[in-house]
Amino acid sequence: MNTQQIRIIDRLTGTIEQQLASRDLTAVTATVASLPVPELVPVFDRLTLRQRAVVFRLLPKERALEAFDALPPPLQSDLLHGLQDAEVSRLFAELDPDDRAWLLEEVPAALATRLLRDLPEADRLLTAGLLGYPQGSAGRRMTPEYVSTRASFSADETLDRVRAGLRDAETVYTIPVLDDARRVVGVVSLRDLLGAEGDARVETLMQPARTAEAADGAELVARRCADLSLLAMPIVDSEQRLLGMLTIDDAVRILEHEESEDAARQGGTEPLRRPYLSTPVRSLVRSRVVWLLVLAVGATLTVQVLSVFEATIDQVTVLALFVPLLIGTGGNTGNQAATTVTRALALGDVRPGDIVRVLTRELRTGALLGLLLGSLGFAIAGFAYSPAIGAVVGLTLLAVCTVAAAVGGCMPLLARAVRVDPAVFSNPFISTFVDASGLVIYFVIARAVLHL
Amino acid sequence: MNTQQIRIIDRLTGTIEQQLASRDLTAVTATVASLPVPELVPVFDRLTLRQRAVVFRLLPKERALEAFDALPPPLQSDLLHGLQDAEVSRLFAELDPDDRAWLLEEVPAALATRLLRDLPEADRLLTAGLLGYPQGSAGRRMTPEYVSTRASFSADETLDRVRAGLRDAETVYTIPVLDDARRVVGVVSLRDLLGAEGDARVETLMQPARTAEAADGAELVARRCADLSLLAMPIVDSEQRLLGMLTIDDAVRILEHEESEDAARQGGTEPLRRPYLSTPVRSLVRSRVVWLLVLAVGATLTVQVLSVFEATIDQVTVLALFVPLLIGTGGNTGNQAATTVTRALALGDVRPGDIVRVLTRELRTGALLGLLLGSLGFAIAGFAYSPAIGAVVGLTLLAVCTVAAAVGGCMPLLARAVRVDPAVFSNPFISTFVDASGLVIYFVIARAVLHL
């Protein structure tokens, strides 16, 4: 949004908050009645849970449906808790099947069962079908509502099918072409149909279909859909029979969700499920405390290592001065490598099988960086203290950077190989490992150089 | 891609690398001739610069065009360097105007001038028009090739315009509706046109248009396009006159580019412009060395701080044992806060104006985390060493976590307020600041508690 739109949203949010605080519900009703839904959603993102529930109940019926549909699933789930059963069922039934499946993953199990049970039969079958696929798979995110055609049909016949399916189908711009066994043999775009002669056969207009299986991970499929610039990707079973379509807008939402998850985990937190300002402080604490504890426990390792070398520090106290610098630099180097490789993994540019190539590249990169920093460290510490201290600092920097880059580059690949989120292994774990090993390297070098 | 497709790509890449190594160009030509372009691109991503140049020249003409179009701009720029002028001009002319604009930002200035000059006049005007907008703006990424209509036209008349424009227009699924002054008054979808009576007027079918200005930042516009689930967004000037359309596939590419940039900077590196395995080691070093130096220089601050307290460490050597644990925990806490707020900034969930709300939430979060960790630290250190040491460790953890969370949460907002990339201010800078201030806090508390 540009600055002007941002100011409008802020002003509106402030107005609504004031009106709510003074319990002036008539004023709130008037304010939100005039708001189009794309302006309403950012306002909702900035209210607290209670405020959202109140405002939502004041929306006119049609607007409420539209707003509900536009909210992300965690906020939808919040809203359902405060509403009457009939209202809940109505909102739920109006969603598209794939959006229903997404929402059901967010609500408590008892509510999920009730929501499914209260659906009209046809809708329930559609939604239950999607839920049959494993969590996180493409099958959960595809839409079962689409228009299909046959290779032998004409362009006009296909356009008739499109017109007939307009009301229900989520996407009509990419049309899968099926054979008698419902296997996908190609796709034809609405654009190509319009540009062709009415009696042209679909098989002369169709393109090869890029498909994905319903059991494939949703993130991989979404990334492929985006890479190939597809408006919709046919989702098939292991026999290439069509099950549904994954549309680009759902692919984008999946990727945004995954990016948030990766960004959070690389920073050592669990991802937030709601927009930041609508997340209560206790949820912020909960998203961070586990990681912080794990890291702190790991860091006690550094206390152990240092206690082993306590006598050395007592002898040459100046060694203690460089500890944060050395392990900090090691941590940064490892973090850089892990960040780069984790992102490359996410984009599909590297895979666990590439570990040897990654290791050699990171060893070389780390050694070059360590050589540069080590020379600087030797020069500065040697000048400020003594050549011996300078040598210790310089050699440690060289060793630590090399080890850190290698470890940082390989950890994400190992994580992916054992099916753990690579972003989880980044920054946090690597810092701990590099800190402890860096200290050992430092004091071993110090004892050797200074003959302690 | 699923596992099977990955194995195919790996096998092909290995085969091609072997054939190149034994200079068997005939074999390479045969291998790539059978590859569809979506399989060719991942293979290219995994070859070196020289290998890519050789393989590209062996592609059949039409395939070469398609492959070139599908590659990301940095790889396109690499390829242009090794080709004949006539070939270069041909490839360049075949691109869409917005893809040309993207590529021109990647190539050296002399080549860019020549490429533009050699374009057919109409194409040159289109492309030059896009380049008139500031770098990083939506105007650079929009397509000037689209179909438009008028509110007074009928559905059939609009469909005729669509058919006429099919060859050149990049998008026909979202059609902007203009008035006599070319101002955007609405949008109509191809879907709605097909479902209507032939003589229905566009103004009965159109929806309000969500537009963006050409001067707006490309990332903001792309995020809005994705949030609103639009297939294309009209891009207008300050008078709401239509200039072009930003399509969803370009929006997705912009967002992917921005995510990579954010992920890299939060990890303390500059983003890679090529896929990881096709990036030479010296480029990896270059992307990291600046940050590493900046951080190392910042870390010398810790050496200074510790030298001020060197006498204290000499007196009570055991204090040195906790230094990595305490500043590491502070760094992690600050990093968590910065990661969360930076992501929220990117999604548009918070803005610089929210700094007071963010500060209060982070102070509370940091204090709660510090209370928890400090209690544990007091218990463990007090048991292992002495209650006095335990008190020092516990109080320091409480203070450091609170300060770190507050600083970590606010730095990204300050960065955005002075128009610097918030991800740049994260992890790296915050670690340095928190490290130095954490040490000061630690030793001040230690001196007070231990009466030194």
Side-chain angles (χ1 to χ4, degrees):
Chain A
M1 285 182 281
N2 62 32
T3 330
Q4 194 190 34
Q5 288 162 321
I6 289 173
R7 273 202 285 270
I8 292 172
I9 300 288
D10 282 346
R11 190 171 46 75
L12 277 165
T13 313
T15 307
I16 291 174
E17 284 172 333
Q18 275 174 9
Q19 291 167 341
L20 286 169
S22 45
R23 290 180 168 40
D24 189 353
L25 299 184
T26 325
V28 177
T29 314
T31 311
V32 299
S34 59
L35 271 184
V37 166
E39 255 101 81
L40 198 52
V41 173
V43 169
F44 263 77
D45 281 352
R46 299 168 70 78
L47 298 175
T48 67
L49 193 133
R50 283 209 188 86
Q51 288 170 332
R52 275 199 303 272
V54 172
V55 173
F56 185 77
R57 276 200 224 96
L58 297 172
L59 288 171
K61 208 169 184 185
E62 273 315 302
R63 186 73 61 70
L65 259 172
E66 220 190 311
F68 189 80
D69 196 35
L71 289 171
L75 295 193
Q76 288 176 335
S77 172
D78 286 345
L79 283 173
L80 287 183
H81 279 107
L83 299 171
Q84 302 265 6
D85 288 357
E87 179 74 6
V88 164
S89 301
R90 189 180 70 96
L91 287 169
F92 190 67
E94 288 289 329
L95 292 177
D96 293 326
D98 52 335
D99 291 334
R100 259 180 247 144
W102 212 319
L103 175 53
L104 283 174
E105 291 175 7
E106 293 286 335
V107 300
L111 178 57
T113 318
R114 187 166 69 74
L115 285 172
L116 257 184
R117 193 195 60 214
D118 292 346
L119 274 179
E121 170 137 14
D123 289 317
R124 184 173 61 248
L125 288 173
L126 277 179
T127 307
L130 294 184
L131 293 172
Y133 297 100
Q135 198 155 11
S137 68
R140 282 273 181 116
R141 298 282 173 254
M142 66 185 183
T143 175
E145 296 179 320
Y146 51 82
V147 174
S148 65
T149 186
R150 300 292 192 85
S152 52
F153 284 11
S154 68
D156 273 347
E157 285 173 308
T158 309
L159 284 172
D160 286 339
R161 295 189 80 153
V162 166
R163 282 190 189 89
L166 278 178
R167 202 176 62 89
D168 288 325
E170 187 166 322
T171 174
V172 295
Y173 296 137
T174 303
I175 299 157
V177 183
L178 310 179
D179 66 8
D180 294 330
R182 288 192 66 74
R183 280 187 302 243
V184 176
V185 296
V187 287
V188 64
S189 72
L190 186 54
R191 183 181 175 128
D192 288 342
L193 288 173
L194 278 180
E197 297 295 325
D199 56 0
R201 280 159 63 94
V202 163
E203 63 183 336
T204 62
L205 302 171
M206 68 188 197
Q207 303 287 324
R210 307 291 161 201
T211 64
E213 290 190 22
D216 290 342
E219 185 187 356
L220 285 175
V221 178
R223 179 92 45 204
R224 189 159 155 78
C225 192
D227 284 347
L228 296 171
S229 298
L230 300 176
L231 289 181
M233 178 178 261
I235 306 297
V236 299
D237 64 11
S238 48
E239 312 284 321
Q240 280 287 106
R241 286 178 301 227
L242 185 64
L243 299 169
M245 302 286 281
L246 183 73
T247 52
I248 183 69
D249 58 298
D250 281 335
V252 168
R253 250 198 293 177
I254 291 167
L255 288 176
E256 185 179 292
H257 180 88
E258 292 293 330
E259 306 285 350
S260 292
E261 213 175 64
D262 279 355
R265 292 208 171 125
Q266 249 177 284
T269 75
E270 281 301 299
L272 296 182
R273 288 166 57 249
R274 292 176 184 73
Y276 178 81
L277 289 175
S278 58
T279 307
V281 167
R282 67 177 180 282
S283 296
L284 285 178
V285 172
R286 250 205 313 266
S287 73
R288 300 181 194 179
V289 72
V290 175
W291 279 121
L292 214 51
L293 277 173
V294 169
L295 289 168
V297 164
T300 55
L301 193 58
T302 61
V303 180
Q304 309 278 36
V305 170
L306 280 169
S307 67
V308 167
F309 295 104
E310 194 177 348
T312 315
I313 299 172
D314 211 19
Q315 278 181 281
V316 187
T317 316
V318 80
L319 286 176
L321 270 50
F322 294 98
V323 162
L325 168 71
L326 292 169
I327 67 176
T329 303
N332 289 329
T333 313
N335 191 25
Q336 286 177 333
T339 300
T340 309
V341 173
T342 300
R343 182 63 182 168
L345 261 174
L347 293 176
D349 293 339
V350 297
R351 311 191 250 287
D354 292 319
I355 192 165
V356 174
R357 289 177 76 173
V358 171
L359 180 59
T360 41
R361 294 159 72 78
E362 289 301 331
L363 277 170
R364 288 168 61 193
T365 307
L368 283 168
L369 291 166
L371 211 57
L372 176 61
L373 286 174
S375 316
L376 279 171
F378 171 66
I380 297 173
F383 179 76
Y385 291 89
S386 77
I389 295 292
V392 172
V393 170
L395 286 169
T396 305
L397 280 170
L398 171 58
V400 161
C401 285
T402 310
V403 169
V407 168
C410 294
M411 281 268 208
L413 295 175
L414 293 170
R416 175 62 69 85
V418 298
R419 300 189 177 286
V420 173
D421 192 332
V424 154
F425 265 58
S426 286
N427 192 13
F429 275 104
I430 287 160
S431 302
T432 306
F433 180 92
V434 162
D435 285 359
S437 56
L439 286 171
V440 172
I441 292 173
Y442 180 43
F443 285 105
V444 164
I445 290 178
R447 280 190 174 176
V449 171
L450 302 174
H451 306 298
L452 298 168
Chain B
M1 286 182 282
N2 62 31
T3 332
Q4 194 190 32
Q5 288 161 322
I6 289 174
R7 273 203 286 270
I8 292 174
I9 300 290
D10 283 346
R11 192 172 45 76
L12 277 166
T13 312
T15 307
I16 291 174
E17 284 172 333
Q18 275 174 9
Q19 291 167 342
L20 286 169
S22 48
R23 289 177 168 41
D24 189 353
L25 299 185
T26 324
V28 177
T29 313
T31 312
V32 299
S34 58
L35 272 184
V37 167
E39 256 100 80
L40 198 53
V41 172
V43 168
F44 263 76
D45 282 350
R46 298 168 70 78
L47 298 174
T48 67
L49 193 134
R50 281 208 190 86
Q51 287 170 333
R52 275 199 303 273
V54 172
V55 173
F56 186 77
R57 275 199 226 95
L58 297 172
L59 289 171
K61 207 168 183 186
E62 274 314 303
R63 186 73 60 71
L65 259 172
E66 218 190 315
F68 189 80
D69 197 35
L71 290 170
L75 296 195
Q76 287 177 336
S77 172
D78 286 346
L79 283 174
L80 287 184
H81 279 106
L83 299 171
Q84 302 263 7
D85 288 356
E87 179 74 4
V88 165
S89 300
R90 188 181 70 97
L91 287 170
F92 189 68
E94 288 291 328
L95 293 176
D96 292 327
D98 52 335
D99 293 334
R100 259 181 246 143
W102 213 318
L103 175 53
L104 285 174
E105 290 175 9
E106 293 285 336
V107 299
L111 178 57
T113 318
R114 186 165 68 76
L115 286 171
L116 257 185
R117 195 195 59 211
D118 292 346
L119 274 179
E121 168 135 16
D123 290 316
R124 183 173 61 247
L125 287 173
L126 276 180
T127 306
L130 294 184
L131 292 172
Y133 297 100
Q135 197 155 12
S137 68
R140 282 272 182 118
R141 299 281 172 253
M142 67 186 183
T143 175
E145 297 179 319
Y146 51 83
V147 174
S148 64
T149 186
R150 299 294 192 84
S152 52
F153 284 11
S154 68
D156 273 348
E157 285 174 308
T158 309
L159 284 171
D160 286 340
R161 296 190 80 154
V162 166
R163 283 190 190 89
L166 278 178
R167 204 178 61 90
D168 288 325
E170 187 165 322
T171 173
V172 296
Y173 297 135
T174 303
I175 298 157
V177 183
L178 309 180
D179 66 8
D180 292 331
R182 291 191 66 74
R183 281 189 301 244
V184 175
V185 296
V187 288
V188 63
S189 70
L190 186 55
R191 183 183 175 126
D192 289 341
L193 287 173
L194 278 179
E197 296 296 325
D199 55 0
R201 280 161 62 93
V202 164
E203 63 184 337
T204 60
L205 302 170
M206 69 188 196
Q207 304 289 324
R210 308 290 162 200
T211 65
E213 290 191 21
D216 291 342
E219 184 187 356
L220 285 175
V221 178
R223 179 90 48 201
R224 189 159 155 77
C225 193
D227 284 346
L228 295 171
S229 298
L230 299 176
L231 289 181
M233 178 178 262
I235 306 297
V236 298
D237 64 9
S238 48
E239 311 283 322
Q240 279 287 106
R241 285 179 302 227
L242 184 64
L243 298 169
M245 302 286 281
L246 183 73
T247 53
I248 183 71
D249 58 297
D250 281 335
V252 168
R253 250 198 294 177
I254 291 168
L255 288 176
E256 186 179 293
H257 180 87
E258 292 292 331
E259 306 285 356
S260 292
E261 214 175 63
D262 279 356
R265 293 209 169 124
Q266 248 176 287
T269 76
E270 280 302 298
L272 297 182
R273 287 166 57 249
R274 292 175 184 74
Y276 177 81
L277 288 176
S278 58
T279 307
V281 167
R282 67 177 179 283
S283 296
L284 285 178
V285 172
R286 249 205 314 267
S287 72
R288 300 181 194 178
V289 72
V290 176
W291 279 121
L292 215 51
L293 277 172
V294 169
L295 290 167
V297 165
T300 56
L301 193 58
T302 61
V303 180
Q304 310 277 35
V305 170
L306 280 168
S307 67
V308 167
F309 294 103
E310 195 178 346
T312 314
I313 299 172
D314 211 20
Q315 277 181 282
V316 188
T317 315
V318 80
L319 286 175
L321 269 51
F322 294 97
V323 163
L325 168 69
L326 293 168
I327 66 176
T329 303
N332 290 329
T333 312
N335 190 25
Q336 285 177 333
T339 300
T340 309
V341 173
T342 300
R343 182 65 182 167
L345 260 174
L347 293 176
D349 292 339
V350 298
R351 307 190 253 287
D354 292 319
I355 191 164
V356 175
R357 288 177 76 173
V358 172
L359 180 59
T360 39
R361 294 158 71 78
E362 289 301 331
L363 278 170
R364 288 168 61 193
T365 308
L368 283 168
L369 290 166
L371 212 56
L372 175 61
L373 286 174
S375 315
L376 279 170
F378 171 67
I380 298 173
F383 179 76
Y385 291 89
S386 76
I389 295 290
V392 172
V393 170
L395 286 169
T396 304
L397 280 169
L398 171 58
V400 161
C401 284
T402 309
V403 169
V407 169
C410 295
M411 281 267 207
L413 296 175
L414 293 170
R416 174 61 70 84
V418 298
R419 299 190 176 288
V420 173
D421 191 333
V424 154
F425 265 58
S426 286
N427 191 14
F429 275 104
I430 287 159
S431 301
T432 306
F433 180 92
V434 163
D435 284 359
S437 56
L439 286 171
V440 172
I441 291 171
Y442 179 44
F443 284 105
V444 164
I445 289 177
R447 280 189 172 178
V449 171
L450 302 174
H451 305 298
L452 298 167

